[in-house]
Amino acid sequence: MADTTQTDPEDRAGKAASGESASGEAASGTDKKADKATKRLARQMTAFAQRHGGSAEGQLAHIGRGTVRVALVGAGGDWGTLVAPSYETARRAAEAAGITLREDFDGELAAKVRTGPYEWTRMAGIQLGGPGNA
């Protein structure tokens, strides 16, 4: 005779919240993919911070279709951006990498940014008809 034991609906909800299916299976492939993306992004953020003064601050901004831009400013003033597949992935990666996140890219954070010759010639090339970069 078949087992007719049914799972309590509250038990199923608790397992779903913990990433476990009602049958006791581990988290789905989507969760594993998100964890892998978080770890990769955290490694990139950590490497950026180490190369640019030992620490960094960042700001997250939605850029469309669920993707998020991570703007990073290193302690030395160098800056860069990364793209994350979701806000939650970016937030978890920044936390794992020890990156301080700010709500806005405000004047205080912008004042820390140091622009180099590339940015200046690029801006001049676009705005004033000056030399462009190859």
Side-chain angles (χ1 to χ4, degrees):
M1 187 166 197
D3 184 7
T4 58
T5 307
Q6 294 192 6
T7 307
D8 180 13
E10 288 182 19
D11 186 39
R12 277 186 275 168
K15 287 184 178 184
S18 69
E20 191 175 306
S21 70
S23 64
E25 295 173 8
S28 71
T30 305
D31 291 342
K32 290 179 185 178
K33 188 174 181 180
D35 287 344
K36 188 175 180 179
T38 299
K39 288 177 184 175
R40 182 178 59 246
L41 195 60
R43 280 194 309 269
Q44 292 171 326
M45 290 178 178
T46 301
F48 175 87
Q50 289 173 347
R51 282 192 314 266
H52 301 289
S55 65
E57 294 181 65
Q59 190 263 337
L60 307 180
H62 293 280
I63 56 175
R65 295 190 183 235
T67 56
V68 174
R69 177 193 61 144
V70 182
L72 296 170
V73 179
D78 293 318
W79 61 279
T81 59
L82 295 168
V83 175
S86 72
Y87 190 89
E88 189 60 26
T89 297
R91 187 194 61 73
R92 285 193 321 243
E95 186 177 293
I99 303 295
T100 303
L101 290 178
R102 294 179 169 249
E103 290 292 319
D104 297 312
F105 202 97
D106 57 9
E108 186 180 334
L109 186 57
K112 294 179 180 183
V113 173
R114 182 177 49 97
T115 55
Y118 172 81
E119 289 85 7
W120 283 104
T121 57
R122 182 77 178 144
M123 287 186 279
I126 292 171
Q127 299 296 321
L128 305 173
N133 291 318

